[in-house]
């Protein structure tokens, strides 16, 4: 009963916006603590502070003060939110500039809030004031400073060796030089000539294919085998990176023993004391670090990674900036692909890739736009040609990404066998896929065919936007369990282990090397005992189920959880159109999990809402900012 009591401490604007659902008791509590600790008396400052806490809780790094009214509240009408007594923005800004919480006061150096003026970000019409909680301001500033410092110098390079390697590894299907512009070749040249490179692109554009060749090129640049670190935010994503590199390591001559791991494990997460073993005082030993699925990396984790990087080590960040971002604050990959470019172009780049960067003689590859050519100077390249899948799934994903509602609906209504669109209650085909997948996995698990059981999990996945409610994971997972049990003629008990039980790890356990996001299955061994199997490259990692402390049965999962995974068929349960979770990024992420077939269950209104609503995460990373007061 403590939270309601905390909320009752709020008065004036804090109470009004708490009761309206715009603020939470936690937001109000932080503002009241700042009132007490900092001696702040301005109601407008405390209100802005509470909104800044809310912004972080919602995934933003800061509060864009000029846009503070642009909030969404679940189950609340936009008109009702607009009618709340929002204060004048200019008055709020003026009070913040006078506040002891921003400038410090007689009570001491406590400055828990940071205010910054900002220029417009690329593609925006105007800038404005950004209000940070100091922790996030300093983390963002650290990222900015480290990246700028790394961009000021360039690695030593054997240009002739690199040129020969680029020619050898990037050719067209006939064996001749690749046509221009070969974005994969450009990405490889960037990674060799810069300390930090960002390789963006959607699923199937060849990101890990390119990464493997980058590693081969970089190995040739070292006199002794370099120390290479491969990482991803989740165990599942790390396993996929491992698998992709393993498939190409022999052909490319990569060093033995390359192992992908979670980013937390790479940094040496440890209980108590300093959170990570590797930090600004104890740098990572690696000469090259590759991070896959960077869209899932939060601002805090990116700050810790950059702090731990040696100045003379290459960092390659890989991911899809159009996907859902981290569940924590920040949209770092999207910000990095859009932030202002301060570095000067490398005159060697065009010569190294062996083509005019402005040329277009590959009809399957998009020409580099002026903005993209400018971003090459910042080490940013976007891969554009889809290679994993094409046709209707790719067209649907691009239409969603670009916000073309009518095109999305036309594709859903089309007759492509790759796409199905069902009403919310039309579940026959979904039930068939759930039961068929479970039957195949269970048969393999009972026969002890561990790899077949793990592979069978990827035949179909049911995805939801919500965890709870009529469109949430809990409801649909229970429905799937009932379908599977009815088909098998038995009742499945999620509290007991059984062969074929699909598992999802929900927390890191470094002692047994199991990580948040790992997906596995319970299998029967030759002696009749049960084991939990998890993929590790081309092998399976087996544990006794009792060793798993944070794991759940997973017949359905959130779209957020599905990032870094691929399935043959994906079924997507859309919530009602009013859900604030239903966004373009969510729909795009869900669609791009599918290799062969996408099934969407939802109304036309829900589809239109999902395509039309974008995730908005305030950040200063893609802007030029000027802290106030000057620091």
């Amino acid at each position: 009963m403590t939270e309601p009591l905390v909320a009752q401490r709020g008065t004036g604007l804090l109470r009004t916006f708490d009761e309206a659902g715009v603020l939470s008791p936690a937001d109000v509590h932080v503002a009241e603590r700042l009132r007490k600790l900092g001696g702040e008396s301005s109601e407008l400052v405390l209100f802005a502070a509470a909104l800044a806490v809310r912004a972080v809780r919602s995934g933003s790094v800061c509060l864009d003060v000029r846009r503070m009214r642009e909030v969404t509240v679940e189950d609340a009408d936009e008109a009702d939110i607009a009618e709340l007594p929002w204060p004048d923005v200019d008055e709020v800004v003026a009070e913040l500039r006078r506040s002891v919480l921003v400038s410090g006061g007689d009570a001491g150096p406590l400055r828990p809030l940071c205010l910054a003026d900002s220029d417009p970000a690329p593609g925006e019409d105007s800038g404005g004031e950004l209000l940070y909680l100091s922790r996030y301001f300093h983390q963002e500033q650290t990222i900015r400073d480290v990246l700028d410092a790394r961009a000021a110098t360039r690695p030593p390079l054997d240009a002739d060796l690199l040129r020969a390697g680029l020619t050898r590894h990037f050719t067209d299907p006939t064996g001749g030089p690749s046509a221009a512009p070969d974005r994969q070749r450009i990405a490889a040249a960037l990674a060799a000539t810069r300390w930090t490179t960002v390789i963006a692109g959607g699923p199937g554009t060849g990101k890990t294919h390119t990464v493997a060749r980058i590693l081969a090129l970089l190995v040739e640049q070292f006199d002794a085998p370099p120390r290479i670190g491969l990482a991803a935010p989740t165990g599942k994503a790390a396993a996929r990176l491992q698998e992709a590199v393993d498939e190409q390591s022999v052909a490319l001559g990569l060093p033995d023993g390359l192992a992908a791991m979670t980013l937390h494990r790479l940094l040496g997460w440890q209980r108590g004391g300093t959170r990570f073993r590797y930090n600004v005082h104890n740098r990572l030993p690696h000469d090259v670090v590759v991070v896959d699925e960077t869209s899932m990396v939060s601002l805090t984790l990116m700050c810790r990674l950059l702090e731990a990087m040696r100045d003379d080590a290459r960092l390659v960040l890989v991911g899809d900036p159009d996907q859902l971002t981290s569940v924590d604050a920040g949209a770092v990959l999207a910000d990095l692909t859009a932030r202002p470019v301060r570095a000067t172009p490398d005159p060697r780049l065009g010569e190294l890739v062996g083509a005019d960067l402005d040329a277009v003689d590959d009809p399957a590859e998009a020409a580099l736009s002026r903005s993209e050519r400018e971003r090459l100077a910042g080490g940013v390249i976007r891969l554009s040609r889809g290679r994993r899948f094409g046709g209707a799934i790719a067209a649907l994903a691009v239409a969603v990404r670009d916000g073309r509602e009518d095109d999305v609906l036309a594709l859903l209504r089309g007759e492509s066998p790759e796409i199905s669109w069902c009403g919310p209650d039309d579940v026959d085909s979904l039930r068939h896929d759930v039961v068929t997948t479970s039957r195949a996995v269970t048969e393999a698990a009972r026969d002890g065919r561990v790899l077949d059981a793990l592979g069978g999990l990827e035949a179909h996945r049911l995805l939801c936007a919500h965890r709870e409610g009529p469109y949430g994971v809990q409801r649909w997972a229970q429905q799937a369990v009932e379908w599977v049990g009815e088909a098998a003629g038995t009742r499945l008990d999620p509290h007991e282990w059984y062969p074929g039980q699909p598992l999802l790890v929900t927390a890191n356990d470094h002692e047994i090397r199991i990580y948040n996001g790992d997906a596995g299955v319970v299998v029967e061994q030759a002696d009749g005992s049960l084991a939990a199997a998890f993929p590790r490259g081309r092998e399976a990692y087996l544990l006794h189920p009792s060793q798993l402390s944070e794991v759940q049965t997973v017949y359905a999962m959130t779209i957020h959880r599905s990032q870094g995974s691929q399935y043959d068929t994906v079924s997507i349960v859309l919530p009602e159109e009013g859900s604030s979770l239903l966004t373009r990024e969510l729909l795009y992420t869900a669609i791009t999990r599918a290799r062969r077939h996408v099934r969407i269950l939802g109304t036309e209104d829900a589809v239109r809402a999902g395509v039309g609503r974008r995730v908005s995460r305030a950040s200063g990373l893609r802007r030029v900012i000027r802290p106030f007061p000057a620091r």
Side-chain angles (χ1 to χ4, degrees), residues 161-192:
L161 192 61
L162 175 59
R163 190 182 304 107
L166 288 168
T167 300
R168 185 170 63 255
H169 291 301
F170 297 93
T171 59
D172 70 12
T174 67
S178 54
D182 185 342
R183 291 172 179 248
Q184 293 187 349
R185 185 185 181 108
I186 295 170
L190 277 176

Side-chain angles (χ1 to χ4, degrees), residues 138-461:
H138 293 299
Q139 288 178 356
E140 186 181 275
Q141 192 62 41
T142 295
I143 292 173
R144 186 182 289 107
D145 291 345
V146 172
L147 289 175
D148 289 347
R150 291 173 63 83
T153 62
R154 295 193 175 96
L157 189 69
D158 186 329
D160 292 335
L161 192 61
L162 175 59
R163 190 182 304 107
L166 288 168
T167 300
R168 185 170 63 255
H169 291 301
F170 297 93
T171 59
D172 70 12
T174 67
S178 54
D182 185 342
R183 291 172 179 248
Q184 293 187 349
R185 185 185 181 108
I186 295 170
L190 277 176
T193 58
R194 299 187 59 84
W195 294 119
T196 309
T197 307
V198 178
I199 302 176
T205 52
K207 296 190 294 295
T208 50
H209 173 91
T210 304
V211 164
R213 279 149 182 77
I214 287 172
L215 294 177
L217 291 170
L218 293 181
V219 166
E220 296 175 351
Q221 293 288 325
F222 287 84
D223 295 330
R227 291 161 292 187
I228 298 173
L230 305 177
T234 67
K236 182 71 171 178
R240 289 203 169 275
L241 177 60
Q242 177 80 62
E243 183 178 350
V245 172
D246 285 348
E247 288 176 353
Q248 305 174 71
S249 61
V250 174
L252 296 175
L254 296 179
D256 294 332
L258 289 182
M261 61 189 72
T262 65
L263 196 49
H264 281 79
R265 185 180 172 198
L266 177 79
L267 290 171
W269 184 91
Q270 52 192 10
R271 292 184 176 89
T274 303
R275 183 168 185 184
F276 292 113
R277 175 187 176 190
Y278 296 108
N279 50 59
V280 68
H281 304 295
N282 181 35
R283 303 296 180 90
L284 285 163
H286 303 88
D287 302 297
V288 180
V289 173
V290 176
V291 180
D292 198 13
E293 297 291 350
T294 309
S295 63
M296 291 188 280
V297 177
S298 68
L299 180 90
T300 299
L301 194 54
M302 180 59 70
C303 175
R304 300 294 175 249
L305 172 65
L306 289 173
E307 285 180 327
M309 288 293 301
R310 291 189 352 237
D311 297 339
D312 61 345
R314 287 178 174 87
L315 174 63
V316 182
L317 302 174
V318 186
D320 186 351
D322 298 310
Q323 286 189 27
L324 285 168
T325 55
S326 164
V327 295
D328 296 319
V332 180
L333 182 63
D335 287 340
L336 294 185
T337 59
R339 71 187 296 255
V341 177
R342 298 182 179 181
T344 57
D346 189 336
R348 302 173 297 175
L349 188 60
E351 189 270 336
L352 284 170
V353 299
D356 182 352
L357 295 178
D358 295 328
V360 184
D361 50 32
D362 184 351
E365 190 72 275
L368 289 167
S369 67
R370 177 181 176 181
S371 174
E372 286 181 313
R373 290 196 300 274
E374 292 175 350
R375 298 205 178 284
L376 292 179
V380 177
I381 178 70
R382 180 186 284 267
L383 307 184
S384 62
R385 181 197 291 180
R387 291 169 169 84
R388 180 181 300 153
F389 53 68
I393 294 178
L396 181 63
V398 171
V400 169
R401 184 194 69 191
D402 295 344
R404 295 183 274 114
E405 295 179 21
D406 292 338
D407 290 346
V408 170
L409 290 169
L411 287 163
L412 291 177
R413 291 179 176 133
E415 298 182 357
S416 170
E418 299 175 11
I419 298 174
S420 301
W421 185 18
C422 309
D425 300 320
D426 184 3
V427 298
D428 290 345
S429 59
L430 169 61
R431 176 172 183 165
H432 175 270
D433 280 352
V434 168
V435 170
T436 301
T437 299
S438 178
R439 182 180 294 122
V441 170
T442 300
E443 289 177 358
R446 285 176 173 165
D447 292 343
R449 293 181 283 115
V450 178
L451 295 180
D452 288 343
L454 289 170
L457 292 174
E458 298 186 357
H460 174 261
R461 179 61 77 209

